[in-house]
Amino acid sequence: MRTLIAVAAVLYSAAALAQAGPPMVGDKPLVQVKPRAAKVAGKSQPTAVRLQECLDIDDGTKERLSCYDAVILPASKPKVMTAKGVNDCKFTKEEDERLACYNGFVENMPKLPRS
């Protein structure tokens, strides 16, 4: 009976020591490295493809405008002029006009293959 208790005590203490903490290399704990491909995959698409993905969202909604604004950040410009390209739409202050500007350019783009 005593040997059974002694064996149980040894096994219990060994299990407790095994859970002491993360493995150490010198003074520093080991670090798990995440794959870089997961980060890069979302941002590797061209701007035109990301803009065309916004066309999947219902037209005339705040969500579509937010999608466009996430690709091309809105900015202010003191002198308002007509947009000559899709990048000029970011200077339009009124949300409905900015959405119409983006839609006009993106819908006329040739369809690019999605990665």
Side-chain angles (χ1 to χ4, degrees):
M1 183 69 164
R2 286 185 180 173
T3 56
L4 184 61
I5 293 174
V7 171
V10 170
L11 292 176
Y12 180 74
S13 63
L17 289 175
Q19 298 176 6
M24 304 289 277
V25 175
D27 297 348
K28 300 178 183 177
L30 287 177
V31 179
Q32 290 184 353
V33 179
K34 297 179 183 174
R36 294 185 71 177
K39 285 184 178 180
V40 178
K43 295 184 180 182
S44 65
Q45 295 178 335
T47 303
V49 172
R50 292 188 298 173
L51 287 171
Q52 287 177 348
E53 287 176 353
C54 296
L55 291 176
D56 295 339
I57 302 171
D58 291 335
D59 189 21
T61 60
K62 179 75 174 168
E63 289 81 19
R64 185 183 271 194
L65 179 62
S66 298
C67 181
Y68 286 140
D69 287 343
V71 177
I72 300 175
L73 296 174
S76 61
K77 195 171 189 179
K79 185 178 179 184
V80 178
M81 42 199 318
T82 58
K84 296 179 182 175
V86 72
N87 286 328
D88 294 337
C89 294
K90 66 182 175 183
F91 298 119
T92 307
K93 292 181 183 178
E94 184 64 37
E95 290 182 355
D96 292 334
E97 292 175 9
R98 191 165 67 237
L99 181 61
C101 179
Y102 282 129
N103 284 338
F105 284 109
V106 177
E107 288 173 351
N108 291 327
M109 282 183 187
K111 298 294 179 194
L112 299 173
R114 294 183 184 182
S115 302

